[in-house]
Amino acid sequence: MTDQASPGITSERLIPGRGGVARRQAALLRLSTAIAAAHDEAAIYRSVVTGLRDEALGYNFIGVFVVDDDTGDRVLKASVGWPDVPDDWRVPFGKGLSARALEDGKLHYTADVTRESEYLPSLNSGSEVDVPLRVDDTTIGVLVVESSEPNAFGGEDFEILTAAANQASIAIGRVRLLADERRRADEHKALLDTMQDLVGELELSRVLQAVLERAVSLLGVTGGEVAIYEEDRRELVVVASENIGKNSTGTRLALGEGAMGAVAETLEPLIIPSYHEWLGQSGKYADVTVHAVMAAPLLIGRRLVGAIATVHSDPNRVFGPEDLRLVNLFAPQAAIAIENARLFTAERQRAEEQRALLATMTDLSSELELSKALQAVLERAVTLLGVTGGEVAIFDDATQELEVVASENIGKDSTGTRLTMGEGAMGVVAQTMEPLIIPSYHEWLGQSGKYADVLVHSVMAAPLLIGGRLVGAIATVHSDPERIFGGEDLRLLNLFAPQAAIAIENARLYTEARQQRKYFETLVDNSPVAIVTLDREERVVSCNPAFERLFGYAKQEAIGTNLDALITTDATRSEAEGYTREALNHPVHGIGRRSRKDGSLVDVEVLGVPVIVDGKRVGLMGLYHDITELLRARQAAEDANSAKSQFLASMSHELRTPLNAIIGYSEMVQEEVEDLGHDELGLDMQKIHTAGKHLLSLINNVLDLSKIEAGKMDVYAESFEIRSMLDEVAATARPLVDKNHNELVVRAPLDVGSMRTDLTKVRQMLLNLLSNACKFTEHGTITLEVAREAPATDGRAELVSFSVSDSGIGMSPEQMDGLFEAFSQAEASTTSRYGGTGLGLAITKRFSQMMGGDIQVQSAPGQGSTFTIRLPVEVAVTPTGATPD
Amino acid sequence: MAKILLVEDNEMNRDMLSRRLMRKGHEVAMATDGREGVDMARSGEYDIVLMDMSLPEIDGWEATRRLKQAAETQALPIIALTAHAMAGDRDKALEAGCDDYDTKPIDLPRLLGKIEALLGSTT
């Protein structure tokens, strides 16, 4: 199994003259001690060859080969005696004599190497012993001892060499385990560092899901659960569940119930080798396929904050002390995560309160925050993976592009670079949503021109996903051509990807919340309305610039003081306090007078609303609108209106006196000329008479309306028989009814009785309605109907309803709109066709309201109209001068 | 036909109403204020009084009260003539003792009906 031989070298092994048994045993002991003291594989190999070279043992040509896992080659790790052998001599898989020991894991002795075709000459002739090095039932290498003489070895040599090989194997296994452990510990540390950075920004359940996924991955288990302990209910509630055969999230466990319940009670970890035979199992997990369970309490000091359980569903897998050790390393970190998340939740709630209260917040740029978080994640990934550098990009939903936000040692600062889907390594993984390894980037066809100037040899990239949704991409690079990416690297990268994804998602949520908050803050700051927020003790928490302007107090003066003490006088104090008390519970609205810092008074419209965050009352918000100008304008408008009404009233009166003469004399003259037989003149006089009466009704209506608006229309209550009032109205309306050849039907129950209200107004209203009905109906029927009705609400007076229906032209909904407004008729054209002032219905509505009732209309084009007035059977007389509106 | 005393201060109204009543065959005497109206009514010559309410000297309500308080004129029917149908005028008129009332502008057939009704009931 050795290469070339130097003919000049002769046997240096002194078989007959070897030292005594005691000397050999002493040499073996030294060998063992040296191996045991070795801290790494290279030291072990050195110890083996040096130890066997001991004079007492007398071996001269010794080598240790170790199998390269990737290629299967044997690589020479240490040797003595062989001439001209390269330090890292590689023997291809299957070649050479020592391949046999690798194949069957047994010692092989070749008495005469010259007879063997497989012999790769290291010496020209002689004999060779090949002893396998076995770790965990796998042959990982071979110990080769040669002699330049044939038949040089015997049974005692085999014992010595086997013992040395076994010692070495154990030591290698130990060192490898330690290295593995160290590597895992490094991973833990890096991951936990990363998580601790992020934990402050995560929701509890998401943190714990992340913790659990990591635990499942690192322990190599099927799945697991994490539960948090609710102190007030003394129960565990499962908040994260991973691959245990069902989603157990939300499951509640009492102390002592199930595996987690048990560890929560004992505060000690627990291994259950066969869960379905375990007596303590909870019925809530009867349907899961779990073989073995390992559970541990999550403690902060000795305080229980939760529990974690991991499971194997494979019956061949069991939990051992090593798993327990790992979970014990992990549990405190998970407990801290819970605690941090709890603190964070409290923190976030406070932040929400602040937002609701529109308090000033920090002005940190969220972009900066996100890039910092991602830079931290990236740096850790770069360190752990041992790569040259890397990048993280976030996915912009709007443009469907990736934007690089963190860049570490890739030969340039790529921050800000934008990549389309499919462009470059990150663009490809963003598109395929699968990780990618590019062994030689500059030969790769998919490379982006934007990275032409970087010194990158190989690239590994992975998409960043939140529940299957793309949020970004991460890439790591080797600039060293000797370094390549393998499956182990991908596994590590996949551990980091979720961290980066969560950081991006959190930053997005945070940015959204912050922008919303800024938006509201801007609104408040620019609002012309004075806005102030109070805590539950009614002290000012914040106020906006409009508040400062309105009341003259600087923000600093106002904050912390009782608002009502600040802006009220003795006269308005109790009213304002009433508002404040009410506003703590529900919105209030009112008008009042408040005082400024300089003592002057200001009329304000006040709106108070409770501020409720997460169902909890935290205070109230007050809005003050300066209405000084409004009140002044209103007073001016009222004065002007009153003057107008006064003018109209006196004008109407002055107009009526001469008009009475016109009407009276024209009627009289008409009668006289008709008696004298001047019929033509009589018709002319009738026209004057009719026009005069029309003008009079116009003037009367205007007078009524102006009186109503001036608040000078009073209600006189008098008792009257309803039926006799109707008879009188019907008689008065008779000429109107006859004019368009209509029929009037009056329906009044015999027992309709009497009412006490303003008779004159009732009569006028009914005549208005009848006059309208007659006007818009020809050859039809007009019905006047009266009935007593129960009141709409308990405790109110009984009602009397008067309905006037016609079979006339009716109205569309648009025509009915504004029907009761003054000077409104369905259409302007109807005025010319049907006449009328357009005031009748407005007056009727106002009269009915003054008498505590109302009027309604039902109609459709071509279907006629029904107007219904409802009045209390007894009117409550309003004091003289009171306005109905 | 009836002998009617019309108490009305407005000349035009007085002229118009008196002529129209006379055209219907009634005898009409006229007073221009409340005091004169009361004095004339006491003469006992009239079957009925048409009394305007807003009168100089003493107003229509007061004049009516005096006539209704005096034994010799207690039975004399009085119809109050009020201005535009102001709510309450009817009550006030009836309270003062008027037997009926009518509103101005006068609707002659309606007024004649009321006169006829009152005189029919008293004669």
Side-chain angles (χ1 to χ4, degrees):
Chain A
M1 132 118 234
T2 45
D3 185 2
Q4 72 224 59
S6 160
I9 295 176
T10 57
S11 170
E12 290 173 37
R13 177 138 187 262
L14 309 168
I15 297 167
R18 280 194 295 191
V21 175
R23 284 185 63 212
R24 286 199 295 279
Q25 281 179 342
L28 263 180
L29 191 63
R30 281 195 295 279
L31 172 69
S32 299
T33 311
I35 288 173
H39 285 300
D40 54 45
E41 289 190 42
I44 294 169
Y45 307 140
R46 273 197 310 279
S47 306
V48 170
V49 296
T50 327
L52 289 175
R53 186 69 192 274
D54 192 289
E55 272 183 19
L57 299 172
Y59 301 112
N60 296 316
F61 306 105
I62 308 154
V64 175
F65 291 84
V66 172
V67 177
D68 177 342
D69 276 340
D70 291 333
T71 61
D73 291 353
R74 271 150 291 160
V75 181
L76 184 61
K77 292 294 186 182
S79 68
V80 291
W82 283 323
D84 303 326
V85 170
D87 282 348
D88 58 345
W89 188 24
R90 297 178 83 91
V91 179
F93 177 73
K95 298 288 178 191
L97 293 178
S98 61
R100 293 175 306 184
L102 274 183
E103 257 168 54
D104 61 11
K106 289 176 178 152
L107 180 146
H108 287 263
Y109 173 46
T110 309
D112 186 353
V113 294
T114 56
R115 294 187 184 171
E116 299 293 334
S117 59
E118 273 303 316
Y119 181 65
L120 300 172
S122 49
L123 302 175
N124 273 346
S125 60
S127 45
E128 174 176 327
V129 180
D130 299 302
V131 191
L133 301 172
R134 292 175 62 77
V135 174
D136 291 343
D137 298 334
T138 309
T139 308
I140 59 122
V142 60
L143 168 66
V144 179
V145 179
E146 274 191 89
S147 168
S148 52
E149 291 176 24
N151 300 309
F153 301 98
E156 194 192 354
D157 296 307
F158 302 151
E159 278 176 32
I160 290 168
L161 294 176
T162 301
N166 286 347
Q167 295 277 357
S169 296
I170 290 165
I172 291 166
R174 171 177 55 77
V175 166
R176 285 192 173 178
L177 196 65
L178 193 69
D180 203 41
E181 205 55 38
R182 218 173 258 156
R183 183 175 59 78
R184 280 174 187 267
D186 283 348
E187 283 176 30
H188 278 259
K189 189 173 181 305
L191 286 167
L192 291 171
D193 283 351
T194 312
M195 286 188 49
Q196 274 164 4
D197 280 0
L198 295 170
V199 79
E201 296 173 36
L202 298 180
E203 281 176 40
L204 183 56
S205 60
R206 286 164 75 197
V207 174
L208 294 177
Q209 191 66 39
V211 165
L212 180 61
E213 280 170 19
R214 214 98 321 129
V216 166
S217 151
L218 289 170
L219 287 164
V221 293
T222 310
E225 295 176 292
V226 175
I228 59 172
Y229 179 58
E230 290 189 359
E231 228 158 19
D232 47 346
R233 296 177 64 164
R234 295 181 63 73
E235 279 182 342
L236 292 165
V237 56
V238 177
V239 293
S241 167
E242 173 81 1
N243 201 32
I244 61 155
K246 70 164 185 178
N247 182 2
S248 56
T249 313
T251 306
R252 303 191 81 91
L253 297 168
L255 290 182
E257 181 181 4
M260 288 196 292
V263 299
E265 194 167 51
T266 61
L267 302 185
E268 294 290 343
L270 172 71
I271 289 178
I272 304 165
S274 178
Y275 183 73
H276 283 286
E277 290 170 32
W278 184 53
L279 294 176
Q281 65 176 271
S282 161
K284 290 162 188 163
Y285 291 89
D287 52 346
V288 302
T289 50
V290 164
H291 175 61
V293 176
M294 174 172 66
L298 302 178
L299 302 169
I300 295 286
R302 289 293 291 170
R303 181 163 61 82
L304 183 71
V305 298
I308 183 168
T310 57
V311 304
H312 279 309
S313 59
D314 181 352
N316 296 319
R317 302 285 303 273
V318 291
F319 287 106
E322 177 58 22
D323 297 306
L324 206 52
R325 193 182 69 76
L326 281 174
V327 92
N328 273 343
L329 286 176
F330 206 85
Q333 303 295 339
I336 288 166
I338 290 177
E339 200 62 8
N340 282 348
R342 274 190 176 156
L343 291 173
F344 171 65
T345 305
E347 189 67 37
R348 198 185 53 171
Q349 189 175 338
R350 197 153 59 236
E352 273 180 7
E353 282 181 17
Q354 282 178 333
R355 189 180 72 189
L357 291 169
L358 308 154
T360 321
M361 298 272 284
T362 55
D363 192 22
L364 282 172
S365 144
S366 68
E367 288 77 16
L368 185 68
E369 289 297 291
L370 175 60
S371 61
K372 269 163 74 181
L374 292 177
Q375 193 70 38
V377 170
L378 180 61
E379 278 168 18
R380 287 215 176 76
V382 165
T383 307
L384 183 72
L385 286 161
V387 293
T388 312
E391 288 178 305
V392 177
I394 60 174
F395 180 62
D396 184 342
D397 242 353
T399 63
Q400 294 284 304
E401 282 182 335
L402 291 166
E403 183 184 353
V404 177
V405 292
S407 168
E408 172 83 359
N409 201 32
I410 61 157
K412 69 163 183 177
D413 181 5
S414 56
T415 312
T417 306
R418 297 187 80 89
L419 298 167
T420 57
M421 295 295 269
E423 181 182 3
M426 288 195 293
V428 167
V429 299
Q431 197 166 48
T432 62
M433 300 241 199
E434 295 286 344
L436 172 71
I437 290 177
I438 304 166
S440 179
Y441 183 73
H442 283 287
E443 290 169 25
W444 184 54
L445 295 176
Q447 65 176 271
S448 162
K450 290 161 189 163
Y451 290 90
D453 51 344
V454 300
L455 291 167
V456 165
H457 175 62
S458 54
V459 175
M460 172 170 66
L464 303 177
L465 305 170
I466 293 280
R469 182 165 55 80
L470 183 72
V471 298
I474 184 168
T476 55
V477 305
H478 279 309
S479 58
D480 178 355
E482 298 297 307
R483 303 284 303 273
I484 52 166
F485 286 107
E488 176 63 8
D489 296 307
L490 202 53
R491 188 181 72 80
L492 287 173
L493 186 64
N494 277 339
L495 293 179
F496 276 96
Q499 311 285 349
I502 288 169
I504 291 171
E505 185 68 356
N506 279 326
R508 192 181 63 76
L509 294 173
Y510 173 73
T511 305
E512 268 177 22
R514 200 181 61 94
Q515 279 174 349
Q516 202 176 14
R517 196 200 71 231
K518 286 222 90 155
Y519 177 73
F520 285 121
E521 274 179 5
T522 309
L523 281 186
V524 167
D525 278 349
N526 293 321
S527 169
V529 176
I531 300 173
V532 61
T533 59
L534 308 182
D535 61 18
R536 276 188 298 191
E537 279 71 47
E538 298 161 22
R539 288 183 303 247
V540 176
V541 175
S542 71
C543 61
N544 70 345
F547 181 91
E548 294 177 308
R549 285 195 298 275
L550 178 60
F551 294 111
Y553 290 101
K555 199 171 185 167
Q556 296 82 341
E557 294 175 278
I559 286 174
T561 54
N562 181 294
L563 179 70
D564 292 327
L566 198 66
I567 60 168
T568 61
T569 59
D570 289 346
T572 56
R573 184 75 182 262
S574 67
E575 168 231 311
E577 285 174 345
Y579 276 137
T580 308
R581 264 195 308 278
E582 249 190 284
L584 277 169
N585 296 313
H586 53 81
V588 290
H589 183 219
I591 284 175
R593 188 165 280 186
R594 297 288 180 272
S595 60
R596 296 194 176 93
K597 190 183 181 185
D598 63 12
S600 60
L601 297 175
V602 57
D603 288 304
V604 288
E605 183 187 13
V606 188
L607 183 67
V609 286
V611 176
I612 295 168
V613 176
D614 285 347
K616 254 170 49 190
R617 274 188 195 94
V618 298
L620 64 92
M621 182 163 75
L623 287 79
Y624 294 86
H625 185 205
D626 183 351
I627 54 167
T628 311
E629 282 306 312
L630 264 179
L631 287 183
R632 198 173 293 156
R634 192 173 79 175
Q635 191 57 49
E638 280 173 356
D639 291 349
N641 200 44
S642 173
K644 181 200 75 180
S645 299
Q646 199 64 51
F647 171 75
L648 282 176
S650 56
M651 272 303 284
S652 301
H653 184 77
E654 294 307 316
L655 288 171
R656 219 164 36 181
T657 308
L659 198 54
N660 277 338
I662 293 170
I663 291 166
Y665 280 106
S666 62
E667 191 176 1
M668 196 179 77
V669 173
Q670 187 194 340
E671 288 163 3
E672 282 182 9
V673 296
E674 277 170 4
D675 287 354
L676 294 170
H678 301 299
D679 286 352
E680 250 176 69
L681 209 52
L683 281 175
D684 289 344
M685 289 316 294
Q686 173 156 19
K687 283 174 191 159
I688 295 172
H689 179 68
T690 307
K693 283 186 81 157
H694 185 209
L695 184 55
L696 181 68
S697 79
L698 290 180
I699 290 168
N700 285 342
N701 279 343
V702 169
L703 180 64
D704 278 349
L705 208 61
S706 55
K707 270 187 176 168
I708 291 167
E709 291 191 346
K712 289 185 175 155
M713 181 65 84
D714 294 328
V715 173
Y716 292 93
E718 47 190 310
S719 297
F720 57 90
E721 290 291 326
I722 295 171
R723 280 175 62 91
S724 46
M725 181 273 293
L726 289 183
D727 287 345
E728 198 187 326
V729 167
T732 312
R734 177 62 55 196
L736 294 169
V737 175
D738 293 342
K739 191 180 168 197
N740 277 350
H741 314 285
N742 290 312
E743 189 193 347
L744 176 64
V745 178
V746 179
R747 294 206 185 104
L750 285 172
D751 60 351
V752 74
S754 62
M755 63 191 296
R756 181 175 168 80
T757 188
D758 192 320
L759 171 63
T760 314
K761 290 191 176 62
V762 174
R763 208 155 37 194
Q764 194 176 335
M765 287 192 288
L766 293 178
L767 281 170
N768 275 342
L769 295 184
L770 287 171
S771 157
N772 280 349
C774 294
K775 212 179 284 176
F776 297 106
T777 311
E778 280 175 36
H779 299 284
T781 305
I782 290 148
T783 310
L784 170 57
E785 194 167 2
V786 64
R788 280 177 177 262
E789 278 185 14
T793 19
D794 290 345
R796 305 289 293 271
E798 200 185 350
L799 299 174
V800 178
S801 74
F802 300 93
S803 292
V804 175
S805 311
D806 64 57
S807 54
I809 57 173
M811 287 171 288
S812 67
E814 293 75 37
Q815 288 174 317
M816 283 191 274
D817 197 34
L819 188 66
F820 296 106
E821 304 297 319
F823 303 103
S824 137
Q825 224 171 29
E827 280 165 34
S829 62
T830 53
T831 314
S832 50
R833 181 168 164 198
Y834 297 103
T837 59
L839 291 177
L841 286 175
I843 290 168
T844 304
K845 183 179 173 78
R846 281 170 170 77
F847 276 3
S848 61
Q849 287 172 338
M850 288 170 77
M851 286 183 268
D854 204 353
I855 182 168
Q856 285 171 329
V857 60
Q858 278 184 307
S859 185
Q863 311 269 305
S865 307
T866 299
F867 287 85
T868 304
I869 298 169
R870 286 187 177 78
L871 300 174
V873 76
E874 183 149 356
V875 72
V877 179
T878 50
T880 301
T883 40
D885 291 337
Chain B
M1 288 296 109
K3 284 184 170 178
I4 299 172
L5 174 61
L6 174 60
V7 190
E8 167 65 85
D9 65 325
N10 183 288
E11 197 201 334
M12 235 176 333
N13 282 346
R14 204 168 57 227
D15 175 56
M16 193 167 57
L17 186 53
S18 62
R19 283 169 61 188
R20 294 179 77 190
L21 288 169
M22 286 188 278
R23 271 179 40 74
K24 296 293 174 188
H26 296 288
E27 257 179 56
V28 181
M30 285 169 279
T32 58
D33 62 57
R35 194 178 302 281
E36 190 185 0
V38 172
D39 289 346
M40 286 175 73
R42 280 189 183 142
S43 68
E45 287 177 30
Y46 308 106
D47 302 324
I48 191 164
V49 180
L50 302 180
M51 182 85 79
D52 181 28
M53 288 291 122
S54 48
L55 291 170
E57 300 294 322
I58 57 171
D59 66 22
W61 293 286
E62 180 57 28
T64 303
R65 262 192 295 279
R66 290 189 187 179
L67 290 176
K68 287 295 176 182
Q69 276 164 8
E72 67 269 28
T73 53
Q74 204 170 27
L76 181 62
I78 301 173
I79 296 178
L81 300 180
T82 67
H84 173 60
M86 288 298 288
D89 281 1
R90 175 179 174 270
D91 267 5
K92 273 169 82 180
L94 296 183
E95 244 169 60
C98 292
D99 298 272
D100 205 342
Y101 88 124
D102 205 346
T103 54
K104 291 195 276 188
I106 297 301
D107 179 14
L108 195 64
R110 191 176 63 200
L111 179 62
L112 290 173
K114 287 181 178 178
I115 292 170
E116 203 175 311
L118 280 172
L119 294 183
S121 68
T122 53
T123 52

